[in-house]
């Protein structure tokens, strides 16, 4: 009889390369340190961009999870962003604790996603994309007509976020809050990806029929990941409402949802850090275009025209030359050099 040689445990094999774990953790630690240090060196205008970048990253991580891992195309993430903003704003204006409004924002956004997701997720491909963008249009139309949302004028006088005697009064406090939210969203997404449901989501994205034949509850998983991505957008919307102090239908245009898709594709669909990289790249690019578009002598429509043109050019360039996105391309290049 042939004697079998025992296989070494995984932890022992991993221990053969003690520096590999450090190399994986070190970039995240550096990014975290820079993130915490930046608010102390930025002025108010730069802090505003920094906060909006973090809010965009929060939503884009959900888009990357939904499209990159579950294979569901959604062009209506701006709707859940709006639901979170209106939820936090309405509760705070009506006299509720601001912190309760912030906590309710992702919950209400996820609940709204479940309600609309039950019929919408029966669709696939471009039909689902059109249905989600139609949902945002309907939601914005209702928000512009209902009295308790402020109508077209919007919801004004949203108080500052605080708990008890403590209140966030300056932009740096909101910057730390925003990036704490980004860290939470990334942690939750990472745990979902490496779990057993995460493997089922990847199978679902490859083939729903094959996943269903393997015992994966396709409908339930699609609805759960749809609600989870909506909760991320709702949390970002709640922070936005308290930081700006004002929400209106014009605060959540359809272009915003397109922007999140572009960020996810540019950074790298199906990657957690890629969503952050894409959000940073597009946000900084848009800010630069706004500076150019608002320069003396430029027409009033220049900023919007430049934004649309750049989105198209960036998507074409990424799809042609970096189909996996910026972060996977850079990572692959570093691995080849190493």
């Amino acid at each position: 009889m042939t004697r079998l040689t025992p296989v070494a445990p995984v932890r022992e094999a991993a221990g053969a390369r003690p520096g590999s774990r450090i190399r994986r953790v070190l970039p995240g630690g550096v990014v975290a340190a820079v993130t915490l240090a930046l608010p102390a060196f930025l002025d108010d205008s730069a802090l505003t961009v920094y906060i909006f970048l973090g809010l965009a990253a929060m939503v884009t991580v959900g888009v990357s999870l939904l499209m990159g891992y579950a294979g569901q195309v959604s062009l209506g993430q701006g709707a859940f962003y709006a639901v979170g903003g209106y939820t936090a704003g309405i509760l705070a204006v009506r006299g509720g604790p601001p912190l309760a409004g912030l906590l309710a924002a992702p919950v209400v956004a996820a609940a709204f996603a479940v309600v609309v997701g039950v019929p919408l997720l029966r669709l696939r491909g471009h039909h689902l994309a059109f249905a989600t963008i139609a949902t945002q249009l309907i939601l914005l139309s209702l928000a512009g007509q209902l009295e308790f949302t402020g109508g077209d004028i919007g919801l004004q006088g949203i108080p500052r976020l605080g708990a008890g005697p403590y209140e966030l009064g300056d932009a740096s406090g909101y910057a730390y809050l925003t990036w704490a939210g980004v860290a939470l969203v990334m942690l939750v997404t990472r745990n979902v990806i490496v779990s057993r449901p995460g493997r089922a989501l990847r199978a679902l994205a490859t083939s729903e029929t094959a996943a269903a034949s393997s015992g994966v509850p396709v409908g339930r998983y699609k609805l759960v990941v749809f609600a989870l991505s909506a909760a991320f957008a709702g949390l970002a919307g709640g922070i936005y409402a308290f930081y700006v102090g004002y929400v209106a239908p014009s605060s959540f245009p359809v272009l915003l949802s397109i922007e999140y898709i572009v960020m996810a594709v540019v950074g790298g669909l199906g990657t957690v850090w890629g969503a952050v990289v894409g959000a940073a790249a597009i946000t900084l690019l848009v800010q630069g275009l706004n500076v150019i578009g608002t320069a003396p002598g430029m027409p009033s429509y220049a900023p919007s025209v430049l934004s649309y043109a750049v989105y198209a050019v960036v998507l074409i360039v990424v799809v042609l030359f970096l189909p996996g996105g910026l972060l996977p391309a850079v990572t692959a290049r570093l691995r080849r050099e190493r």
Side-chain angles (χ1 to χ4, degrees), residues 50 61 65 96 178 192 202 234 242 264 280 283 296-297:
Y50 190 57
V61 169
L65 175 65
T178 299
V192 170
R202 289 192 287 274
F242 285 114
T283 300

Side-chain angles (χ1 to χ4, degrees), residues 14 39 62 105 132 138 153 159 167 181 190 235 239 242 267 281 304 328 332:
T132 53
I138 295 171
I153 298 176
E167 182 180 278
R190 181 63 181 172
L235 177 60
I239 297 175
F242 285 114
S304 59

Side-chain angles (χ1 to χ4, degrees), residues 265-282:
V265 173
V266 169
L269 274 177
T271 60
V272 180
W273 282 102
V276 181
V277 171
I282 297 300

Side-chain angles (χ1 to χ4, degrees), residues 55 58-59 80-90 92 98-107 109 158-161 168 174 177-178 230-247 252:
L55 296 177
M58 222 179 296
V59 184
F80 307 121
Y81 189 61
V83 169
Y86 272 108
T87 299
I90 290 172
L99 184 59
L102 180 61
L103 296 177
V107 176
I158 300 176
R160 289 285 186 175
L161 181 63
L168 291 180
Y174 283 96
L177 174 65
T178 299
F232 295 164
L235 177 60
I239 297 175
Y240 170 85
F242 285 114
Y243 175 62
V244 178
Y246 168 80
V247 291
F252 313 100

Side-chain angles (χ1 to χ4, degrees), residues 111-309:
F112 177 73
V114 170
V115 172
V116 301
V118 170
L120 292 188
L121 292 178
R122 297 178 183 272
L123 305 173
R124 297 181 182 178
H126 63 277
H127 296 95
L128 176 60
F130 291 151
T132 53
I133 201 169
T135 301
Q136 182 174 353
L137 292 173
I138 295 171
L139 181 68
L140 294 179
S141 178
L142 289 175
Q145 298 177 11
L146 297 176
E147 183 179 352
F148 72 93
T149 60
D152 287 329
I153 298 176
L155 198 64
Q156 306 179 25
I158 300 176
R160 289 285 186 175
L161 181 63
Y166 180 74
E167 182 180 278
L168 291 180
D170 56 352
S172 61
Y174 283 96
Y176 288 122
L177 174 65
T178 299
W179 284 94
V182 174
L184 175 63
V185 165
M186 294 176 67
L187 178 63
V188 172
T189 303
R190 181 63 181 172
N191 288 336
V192 170
I193 290 170
V194 299
S195 66
R196 184 176 180 180
R199 295 192 294 272
L201 286 178
R202 289 192 287 274
L204 189 154
T206 303
S207 172
E208 292 187 12
T209 303
S213 64
S214 301
V216 176
V218 173
R220 187 191 312 167
Y221 274 29
K222 287 167 63 175
L223 189 60
V224 168
V225 73
F226 190 63
L228 183 60
S229 66
F232 295 164
L235 177 60
I239 297 175
Y240 170 85
F242 285 114
Y243 175 62
V244 178
Y246 168 80
V247 291
S250 59
S251 304
F252 313 100
V254 174
L255 180 61
L256 198 62
S257 295
I258 307 299
E259 198 172 300
Y260 296 141
I261 302 296
V262 175
M263 291 175 180
V265 173
V266 169
L269 274 177
T271 60
V272 180
W273 282 102
V276 181
V277 171
I282 297 300
T283 300
L284 296 177
L285 181 61
V286 169
Q287 291 300 318
L289 292 174
N290 286 335
V291 173
I292 297 174
T294 56
M298 297 293 289
S300 59
Y301 55 82
S304 59
V305 171
L306 286 175
S307 296
Y308 281 110

